[in-house]
């Protein structure tokens, strides 16, 4: 699977570890974040760069991962883009529900409030949980797209 990834300075170490783990899993990872931690970087810019790459990709299975201190900032920024369904996730139940019920295509992780090991587990659950495709879920996503 193709995965775009971006992180601000707070998520820089998470990003590096996730790139390694995702690569081991055979995923194609495209880093849209900084190549070094920059204390004054801005998560809106990194988020925009990452989700715009995802939206431009013709692969319907491509996804993105965004990381900042709380996960909230990147999630709010990502959801400003039509076609993005970003989910702030910190545990396995949220990861599974984000995919199963809401067909989330962007995973947002909080670097301050979870461990890197837990972030790896959450990411794996998010990547492997399929969208259930229930009629009510599809209806709600259509409503979301029409807002």
């Amino acid at each position: 699977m193709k995965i775009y990834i971006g992180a601000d300075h707070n998520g820089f170490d998470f990003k590096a570890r996730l790139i390694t783990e995702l690569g081991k899993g055979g995923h194609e990872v495209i880093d849209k974040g900084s190549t070094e931690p920059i204390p004054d970087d801005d998560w809106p810019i990194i988020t925009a760069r990452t989700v715009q790459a995802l939206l431009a990709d013709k692969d319907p299975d491509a996804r993105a991962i965004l990381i900042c201190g709380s996960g909230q900032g990147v999630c709010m920024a990502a959801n400003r883009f039509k076609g993005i369904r970003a989910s702030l996730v910190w545990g396995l139940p949220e990861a599974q529900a984000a995919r199963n019920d809401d067909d989330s295509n962007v995973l947002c992780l909080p670097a301050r409030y979870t461990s890197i090991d837990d972030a790896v587990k959450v990411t794996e659950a998010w990547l492997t949980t399929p969208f259930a495709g229930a009629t009510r879920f599809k209806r709600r996503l259509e409503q979301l797209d029409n807002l």
Side-chain angles (χ1 to χ4, degrees):
M1 178 183 301
K2 190 182 297 183
I3 302 168
Y4 295 91
I5 192 167
D8 71 358
H9 59 281
N10 289 304
F12 190 82
D13 292 337
F14 274 54
K15 181 183 74 160
R17 170 77 182 277
L18 285 171
I19 289 171
T20 299
E21 295 297 327
L22 292 167
K24 288 179 189 175
H27 299 287
E28 178 185 355
V29 183
I30 298 127
D31 187 353
K32 302 305 282 184
S34 301
T35 57
E36 60 186 69
I38 302 169
D40 289 337
D41 62 6
D42 294 316
W43 48 260
I45 302 302
I46 293 164
T47 298
R49 189 169 50 226
T50 305
V51 300
Q52 287 170 338
L54 175 62
L55 290 169
D57 196 300
K58 301 292 186 223
D59 181 353
D61 296 322
R63 297 198 201 152
I65 299 171
L66 294 165
I67 312 151
C68 71
S70 69
Q72 292 285 5
V74 292
C75 192
M76 292 188 313
N79 280 318
R80 297 269 178 126
F81 291 82
K82 189 167 185 76
I84 294 299
R85 295 175 305 281
S87 300
L88 175 59
V89 175
W90 58 90
L92 297 179
E94 293 85 16
Q96 292 162 336
R99 286 288 311 135
N100 183 79
D101 301 1
D102 303 316
D103 198 19
S104 170
N105 58 1
V106 178
L107 173 67
C108 301
L109 296 167
R112 287 189 192 126
Y113 307 117
T114 189
S115 70
I116 292 178
D117 290 338
D118 285 345
V120 169
K121 292 174 190 168
V122 162
T123 300
E124 181 62 26
W126 182 76
L127 289 171
T128 59
T129 301
F131 175 51
T135 303
R136 69 186 186 280
F137 297 155
K138 289 180 181 179
R139 180 182 70 244
R140 292 168 186 157
L141 292 177
E142 185 177 322
Q143 291 169 355
L144 181 64
D145 287 342
N146 290 320
L147 290 177

